[in-house]
Amino acid sequence: MDVSTSTPTLTKVPVHVAMIMDGNGRWAQKRGLPRLAGHRAGTENLRRIIRASVEFGVKYLTIYAFSTENWGRPQEEVEGLLHILEEVIDRELDELDQQGVQLRHLGHLDRLPAMLQEKIIRAVERTRDNDRLILSVAFNYGGRDEIVCAIRAMMRDSVKPEEVTPELVSRYLFTADLPDPDLIIRTSGEMRVSNFLIWQSAYSEWYVTPVLWPDFDREEYLKALIEYSHRERRFGKLTAQDDSTDCAC
Ligand code: FPP
């Protein structure tokens, strides 16, 4: 089968794919370009990946665009990434909306420039009824921060200890009404979780490829999906059916 021209029949498609888009800096460095050129190439690639997600029948796509730790990068790079997100919203929103993409934001808005906050809120609002692909952009997001905020919110709501269950915790996270990711793809070969969806990824399948994010195209994505389709998921049990998850505390 020529996977480059035809849409393949996959035996099992992940409902929710999350991606750590790593390697933009190295991609740029290899070409003697500034790091921001790598982020721009990575942004171009994102369009291909969104299109391919729709084509392959992935329902939820979550991307890690800016972590709570990324504020520690040089100011020029931080400002560049904030600017790229703003540009993406300005330039791509009409098309994303027409494609039926629902945009969501995971993370805190408050540290972002006011104009960007407004654009994110308006983009989320405008696309809220779309359901072809749910695209969640983790921007100013950190998994530990998300869990700490969830605990604080539960305490503010006077949740009793015996009422705390995995399901309740999930409902207090930024991802409250998203299914857990079935597959997490990390590009550029790094074997790290990097504070991404640390609660939600408890039983996700991982796929790590040495390919740098700007080069992670449709064919590379397809390779990940084909590998996923061969994985047997047992969720820590002997079969995927056994569904007992009691807390012992
Ligand atoms: C990690 O690569 C990538 C990021 C921190 C940013 C990812 C952002 C994009 C792909 C731009 C599109 C996103 C938006 C705003 C919607 P790195 O810079 O750490 O790469 P390196 O490890 O090679 O240095």
Side-chain angles (χ1 to χ4, degrees), residues 133-175:
L133 177 74
I134 316 300
L135 174 62
S136 302
V137 181
F139 201 98
N140 193 18
Y141 170 90
R144 285 189 171 180
D145 167 77
E146 178 181 42
I147 293 170
V148 168
C149 289
I151 294 169
R152 288 184 182 166
M154 281 189 279
M155 293 178 85
R156 276 196 294 270
D157 288 349
S158 306
V159 174
K160 298 194 189 82
E162 60 277 17
E163 291 170 344
V164 179
T165 61
E167 293 72 29
L168 186 75
V169 174
S170 295
R171 289 208 295 276
Y172 274 86
L173 302 176
F174 293 122
T175 50

Side-chain angles (χ1 to χ4, degrees), residues 20-29 35 38-46 63-67 70 73 77 80-86 88-89 135 137-139 186-188 190 192 212-214:
I20 301 182
M21 310 181 288
D22 199 8
N24 294 343
R26 274 162 284 172
W27 184 93
Q29 197 179 23
R35 292 179 58 80
H39 294 314
R40 291 200 179 281
T43 307
E44 277 308 303
N45 189 44
L46 193 49
I63 53 167
Y64 203 10
F66 191 91
S67 75
N70 286 155
R73 292 194 175 201
E77 184 169 348
L81 284 166
L82 294 170
H83 189 62
I84 285 177
L85 178 58
E86 200 168 331
V88 166
I89 297 175
L135 174 62
V137 181
F139 201 98
R186 180 165 191 151
T187 57
S188 95
E190 304 294 344
R192 278 192 294 277
L212 304 177
W213 172 256

Side-chain angles (χ1 to χ4, degrees), residues 22-80:
D22 199 8
N24 294 343
R26 274 162 284 172
W27 184 93
Q29 197 179 23
K30 273 171 54 180
R31 290 161 177 78
L33 297 169
R35 292 179 58 80
L36 274 175
H39 294 314
R40 291 200 179 281
T43 307
E44 277 308 303
N45 189 44
L46 193 49
R47 309 171 99 218
R48 295 192 288 197
I49 294 301
I50 292 170
R51 223 176 298 128
S53 297
V54 173
E55 179 196 346
F56 297 147
V58 170
K59 199 76 201 157
Y60 297 83
L61 175 65
T62 298
I63 53 167
Y64 203 10
F66 191 91
S67 75
T68 44
E69 289 70 37
N70 286 155
W71 293 106
R73 292 194 175 201
Q75 194 185 351
E76 188 191 344
E77 184 169 348
V78 169
E79 283 173 5

